[in-house]
Amino acid sequence: HPDNLPRLLQRTQLAAATLNAGGLVVLRAHSRKALQKALGQLRRVAYHCQWGCSLSKVAALLADRPAKPSQTMVIRLAAASSRLQSYEMRLTNRTNKLRIGTQAGVCQVVVEGIPGLSRRHCTITFEPDKGACYVQDLSTNGTYLNGKRLPRPPYKNPQDARVRIFHGDELFFKLRSDDAEELGYVINLLDLN
């Protein structure tokens, strides 16, 4: 989107990014090294946009790290089903993980009586240095973000295990039963900085 072009050029240090007559993106860089860096950044944006893409999401992915780390991120999981409870937690540098699963004592969000949910189904991790939260699927039956399945274990590359989440994303679980009801949450994020 044209609104993100200045951010793209600044972040990647490209000389220009345009569309040619055939609709293909043409990137111009000052050096081969600069082009490789820009392509790496664009691959990262494309990776995270597999699970939903918007103008604000691309802008956030192209943004520089915050000047100072975020101290607290409030995450609210708004239940999208009557069979689940909504949940809210403050994630900080000390308490940076929110686990969802059936195992009490390990998971902050304990979901009982739902076939197909794993003991440790998924984890949401807050990274203060980036001012961002990421979700990782740990289950056998799957976790879905905005309708698309998250990468599942085992992971070829540890970086491929986590996907950045944004305010308004939908996190759903695949059930083993014939139940047509989708179980999951709408994610609300609020950076308190």
Side-chain angles (χ1 to χ4, degrees), residues 11-192:
R11 176 72 176 177
T12 61
Q13 299 176 350
L14 286 169
T18 57
L19 291 177
N20 68 11
L24 299 175
V25 176
V26 177
L27 303 175
R28 289 193 173 81
H30 299 292
S31 68
R32 187 181 229 16
K33 185 177 179 181
L35 180 61
Q36 291 304 317
K37 180 182 175 191
L39 289 171
Q41 183 70 31
L42 291 171
R43 275 192 287 280
R44 186 179 76 81
V45 170
Y47 175 78
H48 289 286
C49 283
Q50 292 180 74
W51 292 273
C53 192
S54 68
L55 184 65
S56 60
K57 186 174 199 174
V58 172
L61 289 167
L62 289 172
D64 290 328
R65 287 183 182 224
K68 65 179 199 169
S70 294
Q71 298 301 310
T72 304
M73 181 76 73
V74 175
I75 182 165
R76 179 167 174 32
L77 301 176
S81 165
S82 60
R83 294 169 61 188
L84 295 174
Q85 296 280 327
S86 293
Y87 186 83
E88 184 174 305
M89 180 176 176
R90 289 176 183 248
L91 298 175
T92 65
N93 201 22
R94 290 172 124 184
T95 310
N96 69 333
K97 291 190 185 294
L98 169 67
R99 293 179 184 88
I100 302 170
T102 61
Q103 189 174 14
V106 174
C107 298
Q108 290 78 17
V109 179
V110 178
V111 181
E112 296 174 335
I114 310 287
L117 249 62
S118 300
R119 287 176 289 143
R120 295 178 185 169
H121 200 86
C122 65
T123 299
I124 295 173
T125 304
F126 171 53
E127 289 198 10
D129 291 347
K130 296 179 180 176
C133 291
Y134 296 83
V135 63
Q136 180 176 2
D137 182 18
L138 305 171
S139 72
T140 54
N141 290 324
T143 303
Y144 292 76
L145 184 65
N146 299 324
K148 184 172 179 185
R149 187 171 183 160
L150 291 170
R152 58 182 154 189
Y155 309 106
K156 294 176 189 167
N157 180 349
Q159 290 295 81
D160 294 341
R162 303 175 330 142
V163 175
R164 186 162 171 188
I165 55 175
F166 292 86
H167 182 79
D169 280 347
E170 297 176 350
L171 187 68
F172 283 87
F173 312 113
K174 188 74 169 174
L175 305 179
R176 280 189 294 194
S177 67
D178 294 334
D179 195 343
E181 181 181 18
E182 288 187 323
L183 293 180
Y185 301 96
V186 175
I187 298 168
N188 296 286
L189 296 173
L190 176 64
D191 191 340
L192 292 184

